[in-house]
Amino acid sequence: MTARVAILMGSPNDHDKMAPAAQTLERYGIEADVRVMSAHRSPAAVAEFASTARDEGFAAIICGAGMAAHLAGAVAAQTTLPVIGVPLSGGAINGWDSLLATVQMPRGIPVATVAVDGAMNAALLAVQMLAIDNPDLVTALEDHRSEMTPR
Ligand code: RP5
């Protein structure tokens, strides 16, 4: 089965901030499965998805959420796949809440947290994980880095 990456977000209102993740995976030819589910509003769906994700062929799961952002942690609790958390801005304290909620995971259940609204970096981190045993992705990553180099 070809490796896939899941992109989860806590609300339909998160779509614009998470769009760079799917766009970046697309650039690398990696299939993204984008879904809205919430640690608070649909916890059973989150548990079901996360606990079966490895068997469904996912290689990594990107989770974006704002405010009391528990989505990445709730997913990480149910899978040994790598989980990448994207704290999203918005709300009364504009991302400080989601940053701390996403990054401050208890010992034993890691979430690789990127910057607030860092959806592109979340996707690049997933690509780098997939590149561990994929030389074509290594080359694509190197080409991308070289495009980003200021000239
Ligand atoms: C989080 O609460 C979502 O990820 C979203 O960023 C935030 C607000 O959600 P909405 O009230 O806009 O649906 O769970």
Side-chain angles (χ1 to χ4, degrees), residues 10-107:
S11 164
N13 297 325
D14 297 331
H15 269 298
D16 286 353
K17 288 177 184 142
M18 291 303 292
Q23 289 158 2
T24 302
L25 291 175
E26 188 178 348
R27 174 194 171 114
Y28 285 89
I30 295 167
E31 185 186 343
D33 187 327
V34 180
R35 305 185 191 202
V36 175
M37 58 182 73
S38 163
H40 307 117
R41 293 167 174 159
S42 56
V46 171
E48 167 69 16
F49 178 83
S51 60
T52 57
R54 185 182 290 280
D55 289 344
E56 293 296 324
F58 290 102
I61 304 175
I62 295 169
C63 299
M67 301 180 71
H70 296 135
L71 181 59
V75 168
Q78 302 278 352
T79 182
T80 53
L81 288 172
V83 176
I84 304 165
V86 186
L88 297 179
S89 59
I93 55 176
N94 205 22
W96 284 106
D97 39 12
S98 59
L99 173 62
L100 295 177
T102 306
V103 78
Q104 285 289 72
M105 286 297 291
R107 183 160 46 96

Side-chain angles (χ1 to χ4, degrees), residues 78-149:
Q78 302 278 352
T79 182
T80 53
L81 288 172
V83 176
I84 304 165
V86 186
L88 297 179
S89 59
I93 55 176
N94 205 22
W96 284 106
D97 39 12
S98 59
L99 173 62
L100 295 177
T102 306
V103 78
Q104 285 289 72
M105 286 297 291
R107 183 160 46 96
I109 311 293
V111 167
T113 304
V114 296
V116 174
D117 294 339
M120 179 188 182
N121 271 4
L124 287 172
L125 194 52
V127 174
Q128 290 176 201
M129 291 169 182
L130 294 178
I132 287 169
D133 60 359
N134 186 325
D136 291 341
L137 285 181
V138 175
T139 303
L141 283 162
E142 287 169 353
D143 290 348
H144 195 179
R145 289 269 176 112
S146 126
E147 275 176 37
M148 286 187 270
T149 306

